[in-house]
């Protein structure tokens, strides 16, 4: 009887996990369908069409940014999905790439550890982890929906996850193909924000020292891997475009944001945003089902004691503090206008998510993985589905209205190019562009506030 109840709860857990994943996909793709290009998105499309993929990448490297592979990848995907009337294809591609990278890493960890979860449960757990990041990470609306300005930061995580996954596969199997893929991905990582890469390099360095201490041998493959990662960063830092851009912006930054103020307040701001009651609640909701899906194996429960899991959780929290502090210092040194913009802190969001999951695993171990924990996860999966559907219900009217006004404006401009005979074309102003980036999905936005237009704008032809 008890075994039958246990089997039923696990079946229900899997079924409701599928429902939660589908609800998230529907929410994300519907809002992606109504998303539109804006600002830098059009500049990237124009540059790519005018100079080509390689020419556009070269121009960016010498005139604006050292992110060679980041620019190349972003330009390629923008040119591939340059439909101004719907970005559904682009967002589907982003979700696919991010899902694959997360799945590769989680599955490799599963194979190396004593989790021994099925491929199906690894997939469901990785999808719930993505939802965790989406709803509780930093600046989600901007990071997932502003095509050129921010989704590149999401791709940075994709390269890091993929690189780690294939290096772990090399260690497990000895495959030099896996090592080559890991090194290529590591080199590409160097094209992304320095605060991402240097913190990641620091973790790799600690792993190097760990391996050296226990084996008394220099881990050659890991050393080569770290050298290639540094080479990617060096290529990024050496770009002439970085310094041209700094000349344009440096004069108006440092005087307006005193470093001492940032040093004292920045960590506090990160702590408040990371561990606010709202974010902690979301962390609990999404973490419990993840842990329920991947910790069913008795061998895992016997291998990792509560004290061991607690030490891991503490270690991850220390990594979070280090990432938060280094993020501020690096951004200050680089004279970033925000000295640590939220979109540059996605790696901190990942660490927070891992920390909360580690803490939940500790709770499971504390209660000896009793059956009521599975039933609790089943209930929380309903909350996961509700979170996606409620977000869709609140944000759909906003993004749908924005898309309508955007498309009307675009048609007016194209018609004017073909038949306009005057000198000045008057256009209705669009709502604030922030609506475009999923309408600030991390907040309870009131659609009523965006039902009017802010006057007229004009364009001289």
């Amino acid at each position: 009887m008890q075994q039958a109840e246990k089997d039923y709860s696990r079946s229900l857990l899997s079924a409701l996990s599928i429902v939660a994943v589908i609800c998230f996909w529907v929410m994300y793709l519907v809002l992606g369908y109504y998303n539109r290009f804006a600002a830098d998105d059009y500049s990237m499309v124009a540059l790519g069409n005018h100079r080509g993929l390689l020419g556009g990448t070269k121009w960016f490297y010498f005139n604006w940014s050292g992110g060679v592979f980041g620019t190349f990848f972003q330009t390629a995907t923008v040119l591939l999905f340059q439909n101004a009337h719907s970005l559904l294809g682009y967002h589907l591609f982003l979700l696919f790439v991010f899902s694959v990278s997360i799945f590769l890493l989680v599955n490799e960890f599963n194979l190396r550890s004593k989790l021994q979860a099925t491929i199906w449960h690894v997939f469901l757990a990785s999808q719930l982890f993505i939802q965790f990041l989406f709803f509780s990470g930093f600046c989600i609306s901007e990071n997932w929906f502003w095509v050129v300005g921010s989704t590149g930061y999401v791709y940075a995580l994709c390269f890091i996850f993929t690189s780690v996954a294939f290096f772990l596969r090399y260690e497990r199997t000895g495959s030099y193909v896996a090592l080559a893929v890991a090194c290529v991905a590591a080199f590409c990582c160097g094209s992304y924000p320095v605060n991402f890469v240097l913190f990641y390099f620091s973790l790799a360095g600690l792993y190097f020292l760990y391996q050296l201490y226990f084996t008394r041998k220099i881990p050659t493959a890991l050393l080569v891997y770290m050298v290639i990662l540094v080479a990617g960063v060096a290529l990024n830092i050496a770009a002439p475009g970085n310094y041209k851009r700094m000349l344009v912006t440096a004069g108006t930054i440092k005087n307006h944001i005193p470093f001492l103020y940032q040093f004292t307040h920045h960590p506090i701001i990160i702590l408040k945003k990371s561990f606010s009651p709202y974010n902690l609640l979301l962390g609990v909701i999404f973490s419990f089902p993840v842990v329920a899906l991947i910790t069913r194996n008795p061998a895992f429960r016997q291998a990792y004691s509560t004290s061991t899991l607690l030490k891991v959780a503490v270690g991850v929290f220390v990594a979070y503090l280090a990432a938060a502090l280094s993020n501020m210092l690096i951004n200050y040194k680089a004279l970033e206008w925000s000295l640590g913009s939220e979109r540059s802190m996605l790696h901190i969001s990942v660490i927070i998510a891992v920390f909360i999951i580690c803490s939940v695993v500790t709770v499971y171990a504390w209660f000896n993985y009793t059956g009521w924990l599975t039933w609790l996860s089943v209930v929380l999966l309903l909350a996961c589905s509700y979170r996606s559907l409620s977000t869709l219900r609140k944000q759909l009217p906003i993004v749908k209205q924005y898309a309508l006004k955007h498309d009307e404006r675009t048609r007016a401009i194209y018609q004017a190019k073909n038949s306009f005979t005057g000198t000045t074309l008057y256009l209705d102003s669009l709502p604030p562009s922030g609506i475009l980036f999923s309408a600030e999905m991390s907040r309870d936005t009131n659609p009523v506030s965006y039902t009017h237009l802010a006057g007229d704008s004009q364009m001289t032809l």
Side-chain angles (χ1 to χ4, degrees), residues 105-332:
L105 182 56
V106 175
N107 189 54
E108 191 58 38
F109 178 76
N110 176 54
L111 293 173
R112 286 169 57 95
S113 68
K114 297 183 180 296
L115 290 175
Q116 297 181 8
T118 65
I119 292 292
W120 177 242
H121 288 145
V122 169
F123 168 75
L124 292 176
S126 62
Q127 285 295 314
L128 291 173
F129 183 78
I130 290 173
Q131 294 180 47
F132 184 3
L133 293 178
F134 184 90
F135 286 116
S136 65
F138 285 110
C139 211
I140 284 306
S141 60
E142 190 175 334
N143 282 317
W144 289 76
F145 284 89
W146 184 10
V147 175
V148 171
S150 293
T151 57
Y153 288 75
V154 180
Y155 287 121
L157 295 180
C158 295
F159 276 113
I160 291 175
F161 295 153
T162 302
S163 182
V164 174
F166 276 94
F167 189 84
L168 293 177
R169 180 174 299 183
Y170 161 75
E171 288 194 330
R172 181 174 57 85
T173 65
S175 170
Y176 286 102
V177 174
L179 179 61
V181 174
C183 289
V184 170
F187 189 64
C188 293
C189 287
S191 292
Y192 289 96
V194 176
N195 58 317
F196 278 48
V197 183
L198 290 187
F199 179 74
Y200 170 48
F201 176 79
S202 300
L203 295 179
L206 292 174
Y207 185 58
F208 178 88
L209 296 175
Y210 173 84
Q211 294 281 60
L212 180 64
Y213 177 79
F214 281 99
T215 63
R216 302 300 179 182
K217 295 179 182 179
I218 295 178
T220 307
L222 182 56
L223 182 61
V224 171
Y225 177 83
M226 294 174 66
V227 169
I228 291 176
L229 180 61
V230 171
V233 177
L235 182 67
N236 189 344
I237 294 176
N242 293 329
Y243 306 100
K244 287 186 178 181
R245 182 179 184 180
M246 192 177 295
L247 289 175
V248 174
T249 59
T252 60
I253 300 172
K254 203 171 181 179
N255 295 333
H256 291 81
I257 310 178
F259 176 69
L260 182 60
Y261 176 84
Q262 286 292 321
F263 187 83
T264 55
H265 287 76
H266 187 90
I268 298 175
I269 293 172
I270 294 180
L271 277 170
K272 286 182 177 179
K273 290 188 175 183
S274 304
F275 297 102
S276 66
Y278 174 76
N279 278 357
L280 285 176
L281 178 61
L282 283 175
V284 170
I285 289 174
F286 286 100
S287 293
F288 266 84
V290 170
V291 175
L293 286 166
I294 63 177
T295 60
R296 298 178 176 184
N297 182 33
F300 170 80
R301 305 176 183 183
Q302 296 171 2
Y304 300 101
S305 64
T306 305
S307 60
T308 300
L309 295 171
L310 185 60
K311 290 177 182 178
V312 172
V314 171
V316 174
F317 183 73
V318 172
Y320 155 76
L321 294 176
L325 183 60
S326 64
N327 188 79
M328 181 200 66
L329 295 175
I330 291 171
N331 276 293
Y332 171 77

Side-chain angles (χ1 to χ4, degrees), residues 11-166:
S11 298
L12 194 58
L13 180 73
S14 298
L16 290 179
S17 296
I18 296 172
V19 172
V21 171
I22 292 175
C23 288
F24 174 75
W25 286 349
V26 170
M27 178 275 303
Y28 175 80
L29 294 178
V30 168
L31 296 181
Y33 174 80
Y34 288 107
N35 195 18
R36 296 294 185 268
F37 280 142
D40 294 347
D41 303 336
Y42 287 109
S43 299
M44 181 70 80
V45 171
L47 187 66
N49 286 331
H50 178 65
R51 297 179 178 270
L53 181 57
L54 294 178
T57 302
K58 180 181 177 181
W59 186 92
F60 259 86
Y61 186 78
F62 285 96
N63 293 277
W64 192 250
S65 169
V68 180
F69 295 101
T71 303
F72 178 87
F73 190 74
Q74 196 71 4
T75 305
T77 51
V78 167
L79 292 179
L80 184 62
F81 301 106
Q82 56 174 309
N83 181 359
H85 297 290
S86 177
L87 293 175
L88 177 62
Y90 184 92
H91 290 298
L92 182 61
F93 180 74
L94 172 63
L95 182 59
F96 172 76
V97 173
F98 196 67
S99 296
V100 169
S101 64
I102 288 283
F103 174 81
L104 288 172
L105 182 56
V106 175
N107 189 54
E108 191 58 38
F109 178 76
N110 176 54
L111 293 173
R112 286 169 57 95
S113 68
K114 297 183 180 296
L115 290 175
Q116 297 181 8
T118 65
I119 292 292
W120 177 242
H121 288 145
V122 169
F123 168 75
L124 292 176
S126 62
Q127 285 295 314
L128 291 173
F129 183 78
I130 290 173
Q131 294 180 47
F132 184 3
L133 293 178
F134 184 90
F135 286 116
S136 65
F138 285 110
C139 211
I140 284 306
S141 60
E142 190 175 334
N143 282 317
W144 289 76
F145 284 89
W146 184 10
V147 175
V148 171
S150 293
T151 57
Y153 288 75
V154 180
Y155 287 121
L157 295 180
C158 295
F159 276 113
I160 291 175
F161 295 153
T162 302
S163 182
V164 174
F166 276 94

Side-chain angles (χ1 to χ4, degrees), residues 405 408-409 426-430 453 455-457:
K405 297 299 182 182
E408 289 177 354
R409 201 169 193 263
Y426 287 90
L427 300 167
D428 288 334
S429 297
L430 289 173
L453 298 176
D456 297 329
S457 64

